[in-house]
């Protein structure tokens, strides 16, 4: 006799899906998962997830922030020429005294990883606020998408320019970049989880190698005073007036905005930070302080590297090498690593740079996969498949391929688009903290943040005028997001939108008073609260629908607060007005709310409620448009349709009467 630890398998096995059905099942795997919980550098971990010290989480920020050292010095030298070090100093001043204070405030007011976009969503309610948030999502998508394509393109430049690279790779920038993007997509299609340990190693090695390269380069600068003299002579010859030097440095500053890329990422990774044991969800003070240390330390480290690298590369590398096709184009520090430390060290530097740039693309992809589900479903503006990872990965990969083909995997050409996304997000953050300080009557802080916001507004406008590619891409993203969002909202119009329903004691008493028979509810417009209005409505229902004893009827009033919201918590209150019993609830729309409350009453009492309406006056098409945008309009038929879709069992479905 033998025993089995589990039942034997069916010899026939489960029926395997084939063709389109199998593909659909694979694509939508994980669809029921809660939105915004996908793991990755930007993911919101669940409660059992191990959180980390702020300095380890800083390395996640570093995937985006520190990796720009791979191309930032070259872009700065190409954009500003001999003025690159001075323009970089302007960038550092804006970083330390503008962006850093702004995002330290964002970390305090938005400590759950949603960043400045969530602040603006809360500060700017209703439809205009939603549209503004959708626009910001378009710029955020630009930021993350260009991070993927630009990082892959720069990694390609490091591959091709390496002296040990096979000759057949030369001139194949686009193909190699597409292969890197495809590899990135394959990782996420297979399943990507947070790899903070890898991030720590990559960032530590990358910064250490950069430290060596910059230190050796500065030693050469000090040991070659002629080179420094030549640079200074060129600077004073081209820009003799010190005032003009500063003015030109300010003018070229927008081209260097790539060096500000890590701040939004810094607040996005906040849920990964381990706080104090006394932290609560309402007051995560330890997490906030950790995030502020993260932002400050990263900004100081990056500012130091930016200034020293710009000085070294501008003085030591001939200007011609920064031009398209030059050996230092897109890889200035790698050029110095090979030139000053030998091909072996240079190759090690290339490998480190390629690894962190590729992983920065993974960080950006994870950010996109958490950004889309985090906001759009709350607005009712995401298709059903947007909650699944694989379809989104394919969409983002296709967009990355298109961007790479358009820009031909050119790092310099994508710099403007990247800067646009970064600058708009930082500008929105500055505006958000300014509005927050103003609402809290912090006058001095509001003035200070307002001044910072003006600086970033100027920088964003100047960058968009000089290099409009980023604005064009962002506008395409915004258009796509808005169109898809409103189509999705229309398709989901007849869903139940209550995330939770709670009835107070009085409301429960009203519905529980009917022990048997029928619960009769009359829909009433809360704008008319006179005793005569209730009498007329009750008389009409009794005459047209024959509701029996009018004294047993209840009224239901839905007060629409913000019709742009999609899912809301419903708090049903029982009140008495002019002797009539009323179920009153605040919500974002009327018919979906009525349907949700009726189904809740049915579940709570076991009785089938009946709801009574009067026909709406006006054009039905106009009423439907009013329903979509202001939550009112054609109430009776929409309520019935919501109930029909929510409760397929006709015997358990609440009745809708219209007269």
């Amino acid at each position: 006799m033998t025993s089995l630890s589990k039942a034997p398998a069916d010899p026939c096995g489960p029926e395997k899906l084939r063709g389109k059905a199998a593909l659909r099942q694979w694509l939508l795997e994980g669809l029921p998962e809660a939105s915004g919980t996908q793991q990755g550098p930007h993911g919101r971990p669940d409660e059992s997830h191990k959180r980390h010290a702020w300095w380890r989480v800083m390395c996640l920020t570093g995937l985006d922030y520190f990796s720009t050292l791979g191309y930032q010095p070259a872009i700065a030298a190409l954009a500003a020429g001999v003025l690159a070090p001075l323009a970089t100093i302007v960038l550092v001043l804006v970083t330390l005294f503008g962006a850093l204070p702004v995002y330290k405030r964002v970390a305090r007011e938005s400590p759950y990883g949603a960043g400045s976009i969530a602040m603006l969503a809360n500060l700017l309610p209703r439809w205009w606020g939603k549209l503004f948030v959708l626009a910001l999502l378009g710029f955020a998508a630009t930021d993350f998408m260009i991070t993927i394509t630009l990082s892959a393109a720069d990694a390609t430049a490091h591959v091709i320019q390496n002296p040990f690279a096979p000759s057949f790779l030369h001139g194949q920038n686009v193909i190699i970049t597409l292969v890197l993007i495809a590899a990135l997509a394959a990782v996420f299609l297979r399943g990507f989880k947070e790899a903070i340990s890898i991030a720590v190693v990559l960032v530590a090695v990358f910064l250490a190698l950069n430290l060596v390269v910059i230190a050796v380069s500065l030693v050469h600068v000090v040991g070659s005073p002629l080179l420094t003299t030549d640079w200074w002579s060129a600077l004073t010859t081209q820009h003799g007036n010190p005032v003009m030097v500063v003015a030109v440095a300010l003018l070229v500053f927008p081209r260097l905005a790539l060096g500000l890329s890590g701040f939004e990422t810094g607040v996005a990774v906040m849920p990964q930070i381990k706080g104090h044991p006394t932290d609560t969800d309402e007051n995560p003070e330890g997490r906030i302080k950790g995030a502020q240390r993260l932002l400050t330390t990263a900004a100081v480290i990056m500012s130091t590297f930016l200034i020293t690298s710009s000085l070294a590369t501008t003085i030591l590398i001939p200007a011609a090498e920064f031009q398209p096709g030059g050996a230092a184009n897109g890889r200035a520090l790698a050029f110095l690593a090979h030139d000053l430390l030998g091909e072996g060290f240079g190759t090690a530097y290339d490998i480190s740079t390629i690894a962190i740039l590729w992983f920065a693309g993974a960080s950006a992809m994870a950010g996109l996969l958490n950004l889309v589900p985090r906001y759009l479903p709350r607005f009712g503006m995401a298709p059903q498949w947007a909650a699944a990872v694989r379809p989104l990965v394919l969409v983002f990969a296709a967009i990355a391929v298109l961007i790479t083909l358009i820009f031909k995997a050119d790092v310099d050409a994508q710099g403007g688009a990247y800067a646009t996304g970064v600058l708009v997000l930082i500008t929105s953050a500055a505006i958000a903290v300014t509005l927050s300080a103003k609402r809290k009557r912090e006058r001095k802080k509001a003035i200070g943040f307002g001044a910072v916001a003006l600086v970033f507004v100027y920088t964003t406008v100047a960058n968009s005028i000089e290099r409009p590619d980023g604005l064009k891409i962002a506008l395409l993203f915004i258009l796509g997001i808005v169109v898809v969002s409103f189509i999705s909202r229309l398709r989901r119009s007849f869903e139940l939108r209550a995330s939770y329903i709670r009835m107070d004691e009085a409301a429960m008493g009203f519905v529980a008073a009917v022990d048997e028979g029928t619960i009769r509810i009359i829909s009433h417009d809360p704008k008319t609260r006179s005793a005569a209005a209730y009498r007329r409505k009750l008389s009409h229902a009794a005459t047209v629908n024959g509701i029996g004893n009018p004294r047993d009827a209840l009224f239901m009033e839905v007060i629409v607060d913000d019709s742009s919201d999609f899912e809301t918590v419903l708090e049903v209150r029982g009140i008495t007005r002019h002797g009539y019993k009323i179920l009153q609830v605040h919500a974002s729309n009327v018919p979906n709310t009525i349907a949700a409350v009726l189904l809740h009453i049915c579940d709570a009492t076991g009785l089938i409620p009946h709801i009574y309406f009067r026909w709406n006056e006006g054009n039905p098409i106009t009423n439907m448009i009013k329903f979509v945008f202001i939550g009112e309009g054609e109430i009776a038929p929409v309520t019935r349709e919501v109930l029909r879709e929510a409760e397929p069992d006709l015997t358990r479905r609440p009745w809708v009467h219209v007269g």
Side-chain angles (χ1 to χ4, degrees):
M1 178 179 289
T2 61
S3 62
L4 297 175
S5 59
K6 59 181 180 179
D10 184 347
C12 298
E15 183 179 354
K16 292 185 178 180
L17 297 176
R18 299 181 183 277
K20 292 183 178 179
L23 178 62
R24 177 181 174 81
Q25 183 186 53
W26 179 77
L27 283 174
L28 299 183
E29 182 180 349
L31 185 61
E33 295 179 5
S35 63
T37 59
Q38 304 301 337
Q39 283 302 290
H42 302 265
R44 290 188 295 177
D46 56 35
E47 292 303 318
S48 62
H49 176 80
K50 178 185 176 183
R51 289 172 171 80
H52 306 273
W54 65 266
W55 62 269
R56 288 174 62 85
V57 180
M58 183 183 70
C59 294
L60 293 180
T61 304
L63 295 173
D64 182 14
Y65 198 18
F66 299 143
S67 66
T68 58
L69 286 170
Y71 46 82
Q72 169 77 5
I75 290 178
L78 183 63
V82 294
L83 275 175
L86 299 180
T88 301
I89 291 175
V90 173
L91 173 67
V92 167
L93 292 175
V94 173
T95 297
L96 297 179
F97 299 102
L100 179 58
V102 164
Y103 275 94
K104 288 175 74 173
R105 175 97 179 203
V106 172
R108 177 160 295 280
E109 299 199 13
S110 181
Y112 307 106
S116 59
I117 297 179
M119 288 182 64
L120 286 170
N122 295 328
L123 291 169
L124 301 172
R126 303 188 183 278
W127 278 109
W128 286 113
K130 299 294 188 296
L131 291 173
F132 190 71
V133 169
L134 291 179
L136 287 180
L137 290 177
F139 285 105
T142 303
D143 182 4
F144 284 125
M145 287 302 310
I146 299 298
T147 297
I148 294 172
T149 58
L150 188 148
S151 297
D154 194 56
T156 298
H158 285 78
V159 170
I160 292 176
Q161 293 293 335
N162 187 277
F164 301 112
S167 58
F168 67 84
L169 294 179
H170 291 273
Q172 305 300 321
N173 298 59
V174 173
I175 294 177
I176 297 173
T177 302
L178 292 179
V179 169
L180 290 174
I181 292 173
L184 180 67
V187 168
F188 280 88
L189 289 175
R190 183 175 178 82
F192 176 79
K193 293 188 176 181
E194 179 197 358
I196 191 169
S197 298
I198 297 176
V200 171
V201 172
L202 285 177
V203 169
V205 171
F206 181 71
L207 291 183
L209 293 177
N210 275 279
L211 183 61
V212 172
V213 173
I214 293 173
V216 171
S217 300
L218 292 179
V219 169
H220 276 72
V221 169
V222 174
S224 306
L226 184 61
L227 292 176
T228 306
T229 302
D230 290 343
W231 167 71
W232 186 255
S233 298
L235 178 64
T236 54
T237 301
Q238 296 178 23
H239 311 282
N241 190 333
V243 176
M244 289 303 298
V245 169
V246 175
V248 175
L250 290 172
L251 288 174
V252 300
F253 158 67
R255 306 183 196 176
L256 277 63
L258 297 172
L260 294 165
S261 64
F263 284 99
E264 193 70 29
T265 307
V267 291
V269 300
M270 280 187 67
Q272 306 283 351
I273 297 174
K274 182 180 180 180
H276 295 155
T278 57
D279 280 3
T280 62
D281 288 339
E282 294 75 20
N283 185 28
E285 187 64 28
R287 181 195 302 170
I288 292 170
K289 290 183 178 179
Q292 291 177 339
R293 291 192 197 102
L294 179 156
L295 293 168
T296 302
T297 305
V300 171
I301 292 174
M302 190 61 176
S303 296
T304 304
F305 273 104
L306 284 174
I307 292 175
T308 53
S309 64
S310 180
L311 187 66
T313 54
T314 304
I315 292 175
L316 295 178
I317 300 177
E321 298 292 352
F322 292 112
Q323 300 300 317
N329 181 249
R331 54 186 300 275
L333 288 174
F335 178 92
L336 291 179
H338 284 274
D339 188 50
L340 301 179
L341 294 164
E343 303 298 358
F345 184 91
T347 299
Y349 183 88
D350 284 340
I351 293 172
S352 173
T353 306
I354 292 167
I356 197 171
L357 286 169
W358 188 84
F359 216 73
S363 172
M365 180 69 82
L368 285 167
L369 293 175
N370 283 279
L371 194 67
V372 170
R374 175 171 283 164
Y375 288 99
L376 297 186
R378 288 172 49 203
F379 302 165
M381 293 179 173
Q384 185 180 12
W385 52 261
V389 172
R390 286 171 178 145
L392 284 181
V393 170
L394 292 175
V395 170
F396 295 144
I399 295 172
V401 168
L402 181 62
I403 292 173
T404 298
L405 294 174
I406 291 174
F407 287 105
K408 300 178 181 179
D410 189 329
V411 175
D412 299 324
Q414 296 178 74
Y418 189 19
T420 299
V422 170
L423 286 171
V424 170
L425 289 181
I426 295 180
T427 302
S428 68
I431 293 172
V433 298
T434 302
L435 293 176
S436 174
K438 184 178 179 181
R439 285 195 175 189
K440 294 180 179 180
R441 302 182 184 277
E442 299 171 342
R443 187 170 180 272
K444 291 183 180 179
K445 291 183 178 180
I447 293 173
F449 287 132
V452 173
L454 289 176
V455 170
F456 284 118
V457 167
Y458 153 74
T459 307
T460 304
V461 172
N463 179 78
S464 300
I465 292 174
E466 184 175 355
R467 297 182 292 181
D469 290 337
L471 188 60
K472 293 176 182 177
I473 292 176
L475 290 176
L476 289 175
F477 275 118
I478 292 169
L479 179 63
I481 288 174
V482 170
V483 170
V484 171
S485 295
F486 278 99
I487 291 174
S488 173
R489 180 108 179 191
L490 288 172
R491 293 188 63 180
R492 298 180 63 186
S493 294
F494 301 113
E495 291 182 9
L496 290 174
R497 303 185 188 179
S499 57
Y500 186 81
I501 302 176
R502 184 187 299 110
M503 301 182 74
D504 69 7
E505 187 175 347
M508 283 301 301
F510 290 166
V511 298
V514 182
D515 295 329
E516 57 184 19
T518 303
I519 300 176
R520 303 185 185 277
I521 302 173
I522 301 171
S523 176
H524 181 69
D525 186 351
K527 299 185 184 72
T528 56
R529 299 185 177 183
S530 65
Y534 289 103
R535 281 198 304 271
R536 286 195 300 270
K537 186 64 71 74
L538 184 59
S539 175
H540 176 272
T543 302
V544 175
N545 299 292
I547 65 172
N549 187 354
R551 295 179 182 178
D552 295 334
L554 305 175
F555 286 89
M556 184 183 297
E557 297 178 350
V558 179
I559 301 173
V560 177
D561 295 322
D562 185 353
S563 59
S564 66
D565 286 338
F566 193 75
E567 290 187 352
T568 54
V569 174
L570 302 182
E571 301 278 355
V572 185
R573 297 172 54 237
I575 63 174
T576 301
R577 183 182 296 128
H578 306 303
Y580 300 102
K581 298 175 181 178
I582 302 168
L583 301 176
Q584 188 180 83
V585 57
H586 289 256
S588 61
N589 70 88
V590 178
N592 305 67
T593 301
I594 291 175
V597 174
L598 291 176
L599 289 170
H600 182 74
I601 291 173
C602 182
D603 292 337
T605 65
L607 301 176
I608 305 298
H610 289 231
I611 184 79
Y612 298 88
F613 297 97
R614 295 183 66 172
W615 284 113
N616 290 70
E617 297 296 329
N619 188 290
I621 297 177
T622 303
N623 284 336
M624 283 300 299
I625 295 174
K626 287 173 64 178
F627 159 67
V628 171
F629 289 101
I630 64 174
E632 301 176 2
E634 204 67 43
I635 296 175
V638 174
T639 302
R640 196 266 176 188
E641 179 60 21
V642 174
L643 288 169
R644 188 186 70 83
E645 293 194 8
E647 179 51 80
D649 186 351
L650 183 60
T651 63
R652 289 187 47 81
R653 188 186 304 159
W655 285 56
V656 176
H657 304 267
V658 192

